[in-house]
Amino acid sequence: MRDAHSLERRVGIDHYVSDAEGTGGRLRVAPEDFRVREVEAMDSVDVDEDPGDYPNLLLRVTLRGWDTNDFARRLSDALGVSRERVAWAGTKDKYAVTTQLFSVRDVSPEAVPDISDADVEVVGRIGRDLGFGDLAGNDFDVRVRDADAPENAAAVTAELGAFLTGEEPVGGEGDADGDTATDGPVPVAVPNYFGHQRFGSRRPVTHEVGLHVVRGEWREAVLSYVGNPADAEPEGTQAARRFVDEQADSPDPDWHAALDEMPHRLRYERSMLHRLADEGDETDDDWRHALEAVPRNLQRLFVNAAQSYAFNRILSERLERGLPLTRPVEGDVVCFADRDAPERLSRADPDRTQVATGRRVEVMARHCERGRAFVTAPLVGTDTELAEGEAGEVERAVLDELDLAPSDFDLPGEFDSSGTRRAVLLRTDVETAVDADDDAYELSFSLPSGSYATVLLREYLKTTPQDL
């Protein structure tokens, strides 16, 4: 185990579980280097069925260089319908070739437009909008280019396999003189961290905003988002954020002037400043109302990011203490695997849990070894019940350090969260093909929905999270 990059530690990711040297390299040199295809969990009827019973047209779309939200907006504009009538199951990266489902309400198949860099297939009809539950997972084919040591991929794979089994790594010697490949898929595992992009790739602050929200610090929440410049941002953006901080520190803030300074492309920051300028900043309610100027899904994201940060911290603390992720210890909360998941996806069902105590510790350990169960940690909320034993000590210590308690998540509007639990281990099978002559290699794997490809890829590249 080795220390993570300093930027990753800002979001609670403290460790790599593989000790092998990284390969280095670059992702997404071209969109075709990062291919993602949804593992669908939605059945449709024939497109000619009665649209009264099945009002949503189901589309399978392959996108090249499109952000999911931007494509949905472009599709609704081309159809001449409200953006609210377009739905999808999972958001995908812009710098990729992605195949995913969209639904569009009250539209005929003949009206589906041609859109550049998008291959649109009409699949059928469904009776409701698509949602997150309609995505089982994703298949990935990733090419890493300009690698410093592509042959190191074999050693990383061997160590991640050993992390899953608890045994010594077997093999892992790459051939620096030519092409190498694994003999089929290799079972591996990594900590099921929330990836750096969960918190903002260039400026990871969403969890900071969320922590202030949960603590009832509405003024600090707004200023963490609107002010608080990051070195990775353009200088003009940094200057605008510094001006916000200056106004916040002054006895008579000029929010109209701060609005004038803020670039127009930062529309969420501008929305908050508009409310401060128009409605004042005298009370906590004023600041909360300013934060509520952003879309509801972003309001939820702030609190979700705080939960994700606490989860990452708990995983890192378990690793630091030597507590296993692959099997339970006394007092752990264990959930069973999702019985409906496709065979190639190792997916947890957080609604089916047991506390591992007494003889059940060994029973649940055998289930975990076979991929039938998972140790969990909390995404803390009002309904959260913490683990017992040393696992519970870890959870309580992290929450105490963050000044959080489950009852704190009883919040107004979209900020409220009941919480859940999440598997601490991410299992998959990885196929590796190394092309040392081209300083490149390819990885193929499948992950359940809600997990992050970057938490696997980081173990291979061992580079800054901004390069993931």
Side-chain angles (χ1 to χ4, degrees):
M1 193 168 71
R2 55 197 289 175
D3 289 343
H5 192 280
S6 60
L7 290 177
E8 292 182 314
R9 296 173 75 88
R10 287 184 57 188
V11 297
I13 301 173
D14 288 355
H15 303 291
Y16 296 104
V17 294
S18 59
D19 285 319
E21 292 298 320
T23 65
R26 294 195 297 157
L27 297 171
R28 305 179 184 89
V29 174
E32 289 77 11
D33 290 344
F34 205 98
R35 293 182 176 271
V36 187
R37 184 179 180 89
E38 288 186 346
V39 181
E40 300 165 2
M42 165 56 71
D43 295 323
S44 62
V45 300
D46 190 87
V47 72
D48 294 325
E49 289 286 342
D50 183 3
D53 294 328
Y54 302 96
N56 289 269
L57 205 62
L58 186 65
L59 310 176
R60 182 179 296 117
V61 184
T62 298
L63 301 172
R64 183 185 186 279
W66 272 103
D67 173 83
T68 303
N69 285 277
D70 290 343
F71 175 77
R73 190 176 299 110
R74 176 69 183 87
L75 178 62
S76 63
D77 288 346
L79 289 167
V81 302
S82 166
R83 159 63 189 78
E84 299 301 317
R85 285 161 61 177
V86 180
W88 58 91
T91 301
K92 301 294 184 288
D93 196 291
K94 176 178 180 178
Y95 302 104
V97 175
T98 64
T99 301
Q100 62 186 116
L101 294 178
F102 288 84
S103 66
V104 188
R105 196 179 334 118
D106 299 328
V107 168
S108 68
E110 295 76 21
V112 175
D114 291 328
I115 297 176
S116 63
D117 295 318
D119 181 12
V120 182
E121 172 193 359
V122 178
V123 178
R125 289 189 174 277
I126 56 177
R128 56 172 175 77
D129 292 350
L130 275 176
F132 183 71
D134 300 318
L135 174 62
N138 295 284
D139 296 326
F140 294 86
D141 292 295
V142 179
R143 185 170 181 84
V144 181
R145 296 184 186 269
D146 301 329
D148 300 317
E151 65 277 5
N152 288 356
V156 174
T157 300
E159 291 194 6
L160 296 181
F163 179 70
L164 173 62
T165 62
E167 301 172 355
E168 287 298 313
V170 177
E173 294 298 324
D175 177 4
D177 297 323
D179 296 349
T180 65
T182 54
D183 295 326
V186 177
V188 303
V190 295
N192 194 21
Y193 283 125
F194 284 92
H196 194 268
Q197 65 269 41
R198 172 72 159 180
F199 310 96
S201 296
R202 183 180 276 185
R203 180 173 170 259
V205 299
T206 53
H207 63 297
E208 296 176 8
V209 178
L211 289 170
H212 287 306
V213 167
V214 177
R215 296 168 186 150
E217 299 165 350
W218 300 102
R219 180 179 187 272
E220 291 82 356
V222 171
L223 295 176
S224 290
Y225 192 76
V226 182
N228 190 21
D231 292 341
E233 295 182 294
E235 178 53 39
T237 300
Q238 293 186 52
R241 295 194 192 281
R242 283 194 294 269
F243 188 80
V244 168
D245 289 341
E246 292 167 5
Q247 295 307 306
D249 290 339
S250 72
D252 185 22
D254 188 342
W255 299 120
H256 287 286
L259 182 59
D260 290 340
E261 293 287 330
M262 190 63 61
H264 284 271
R265 59 184 173 78
L266 300 178
R267 59 185 186 276
Y268 297 148
E269 286 89 339
R270 289 179 60 82
S271 295
M272 293 185 195
L273 290 171
H274 262 298
R275 288 201 174 173
L276 292 175
D278 293 345
E279 301 176 19
D281 61 357
E282 297 296 321
T283 67
D284 278 349
D285 284 346
D286 290 334
W287 288 97
R288 192 188 93 199
H289 191 53
L291 195 65
E292 290 173 337
V294 302
R296 289 178 295 177
N297 64 330
L298 183 53
Q299 296 174 41
R300 291 191 294 271
L301 178 61
F302 291 145
V303 174
N304 294 159
Q307 294 167 315
S308 303
Y309 175 67
F311 178 91
N312 281 359
R313 290 281 302 276
I314 290 168
L315 257 64
S316 291
E317 182 61 22
R318 282 188 72 115
L319 290 169
E320 189 70 29
R321 293 195 186 197
L323 291 181
L325 305 187
T326 55
R327 57 181 173 81
V329 297
E330 180 79 21
D332 259 322
V333 180
V334 178
C335 75
F336 292 96
D338 185 346
R339 291 172 290 197
D340 297 326
E343 186 174 347
R344 67 184 182 279
L345 293 178
S346 187
R347 189 169 73 173
D349 180 357
D351 294 327
R352 300 167 58 224
T353 62
Q354 281 190 10
V355 179
T357 56
R359 287 184 296 179
R360 280 192 292 181
V361 174
E362 287 304 316
V363 172
M364 298 310 296
R366 289 195 292 271
H367 283 310
C368 289
E369 180 182 346
R370 297 166 184 165
R372 298 175 183 171
F374 298 83
V375 178
T376 68
L379 292 172
V380 65
T382 54
D383 294 346
T384 295
E385 294 185 8
L386 300 177
E388 302 171 8
E390 189 174 3
E393 290 176 12
V394 169
E395 295 174 8
R396 289 174 176 83
V398 169
L399 295 182
D400 287 348
E401 186 177 340
L402 296 177
D403 191 23
L404 296 179
S407 59
D408 294 336
F409 289 80
D410 184 7
L411 293 162
E414 300 296 332
F415 302 112
D416 183 78
S417 179
S418 59
T420 184
R421 294 191 74 91
R422 172 181 169 94
V424 299
L425 191 74
L426 180 59
R427 303 172 60 128
T428 188
D429 296 339
V430 175
E431 287 193 74
T432 309
V434 178
D435 181 3
D437 291 338
D438 197 31
D439 294 329
Y441 64 98
E442 295 182 0
L443 299 171
S444 297
F445 52 93
S446 299
L447 298 179
S449 58
S451 56
Y452 289 77
T454 52
V455 303
L456 176 63
L457 296 172
R458 64 184 288 275
E459 296 279 352
Y460 283 88
L461 277 72
K462 292 189 171 71
T463 186
T464 170
Q466 293 169 336
D467 290 337
L468 295 173

